[in-house]
Amino acid sequence: MELSIITINLNNSEGLKDTFRSIEGAGSLDFEYIVIDGKSNDSSQEVIREFKRVDKFLIESDEGVFDAMNKGVSLASRKYVYFLNSGDILLDGIKRVRLLDSIEYYQVKTIVNGDIRHIDLRPFPIHQGIVMLKSLLLENRFDHSLKIFGDLDLWYRLDLKVDDPINNAIAVMYVEGLGSAPEFIIKRIRDKARLWAKHKRIRDLASIFKMVLLLVAYKIFGINTYYKLAT
């Protein structure tokens, strides 16, 4: 199979174990598996070295998730690449990816605050649903100066817009952490402001305004209200 699956990790050994178990569940499917670790100081390094299904790994300091993703692309030897974050779960649908187009967008199951929910980011995709030609990512690197919205920046630069994903779920994504948890919303506002400065898109100004409102709702009404409004 002409596919390299890349997992990025930093200090998430338990989530990494979940991801590795799902990789094992893919059985004998012939894909290349690469793990990039940002020099974790929990037990992640040991977990990576002990997992026999890893074909290549790199453990070194980086400048954030998108710098690590660029490193993964550079290590990949297959024609297509797919990013499965530490903590994400690979599904059997990976066995049915087509690998025919330069960019293919598949369904992703999302779990938000413990509940299964549908997150619609259209016209832009969730990167856990995207399978792309490696050559395209070598020519169009992620901007690692953006710490949260580096994938959206890339979709802007590629002029990538999507309609409905292919009816085939390939991963379960837990919506938490830096990209969505309320405790990191100020960081997201600042990063979205950097994206606005780079591209000057009105949708990003609207997004900043929404995040400010979410921050207020979180402070006043708590986390459940935050997630209801956010999704």
Side-chain angles (χ1 to χ4, degrees):
M1 187 180 197
E2 282 296 315
L3 180 66
S4 296
I5 298 178
I6 301 168
T7 293
I8 307 304
N9 179 72
L10 179 64
N11 295 328
N12 185 23
S13 60
E14 293 306 311
L16 191 62
K17 290 175 184 177
D18 291 339
T19 301
F20 283 178
R21 280 190 285 268
S22 73
I23 289 289
E24 286 180 328
S28 60
L29 187 65
D30 178 26
F31 58 83
E32 179 181 53
Y33 189 45
I34 299 169
V35 180
I36 308 295
D37 182 85
K39 211 167 185 181
S40 293
N41 54 28
D42 64 358
S43 61
S44 293
Q45 294 190 39
E46 180 181 353
V47 171
I48 293 167
R49 296 178 192 279
E50 290 179 352
F51 187 51
K52 294 181 173 56
R53 183 61 183 81
V54 174
D55 296 297
K56 300 174 184 175
F57 67 85
L58 180 65
I59 299 173
E60 65 180 24
S61 299
D62 55 50
E63 296 184 50
V65 62
F66 296 106
D67 183 31
M69 289 167 76
N70 285 334
K71 291 179 180 182
V73 173
S74 296
L75 282 180
S77 63
R78 304 290 175 95
K79 186 176 180 180
Y80 289 83
V81 297
Y82 171 62
F83 295 102
L84 185 76
N85 290 356
S86 174
D88 293 340
I89 306 299
L90 191 68
L91 298 177
D92 273 352
I94 197 67
K95 299 174 182 178
R96 297 185 293 277
V97 294
R98 302 178 308 181
L99 304 184
L100 297 174
D101 300 318
S102 58
I103 300 173
E104 297 176 354
Y105 183 39
Y106 295 89
Q107 290 179 335
V108 178
K109 296 182 179 180
T110 54
I111 298 179
V112 182
N113 198 27
D115 299 324
I116 297 176
R117 300 186 190 176
H118 173 66
I119 295 180
D120 190 352
L121 300 180
R122 288 178 298 177
F124 301 102
I126 299 170
H127 78 248
Q128 285 92 337
I130 288 286
V131 177
M132 298 179 66
L133 279 173
K134 179 184 71 172
S135 58
L136 189 60
L137 284 170
L138 287 173
E139 294 167 2
N140 301 275
R141 296 280 184 163
F142 291 103
D143 180 354
H144 61 74
S145 69
L146 293 162
K147 305 305 180 184
I148 301 171
F149 297 105
D151 49 357
L152 183 55
D153 167 70
L154 180 59
W155 308 154
Y156 285 173
R157 287 186 280 124
L158 293 174
D159 195 25
L160 173 62
K161 296 180 180 180
V162 297
D163 294 317
D164 292 328
I166 297 169
N167 186 23
N168 176 28
I170 60 175
V172 176
M173 167 190 171
Y174 286 84
V175 180
E176 56 189 12
L178 190 61
S180 58
E183 57 265 35
F184 300 114
I185 196 167
I186 292 176
K187 289 185 178 180
R188 291 200 296 280
I189 291 170
R190 290 172 177 165
D191 207 56
K192 185 58 73 77
R194 295 186 193 102
L195 188 67
W196 153 253
K198 184 173 181 179
H199 294 280
K200 298 296 193 298
R201 296 204 178 198
I202 296 299
R203 73 181 307 276
D204 292 320
L205 278 183
S207 176
I208 291 169
F209 180 69
K210 179 181 177 181
M211 284 190 283
V212 171
L213 292 180
L214 285 172
L215 177 60
V216 173
Y218 171 61
K219 294 293 185 180
I220 297 174
F221 300 108
I223 192 168
N224 290 331
T225 298
Y226 169 86
Y227 278 117
K228 286 179 182 178
L229 294 174
T231 57

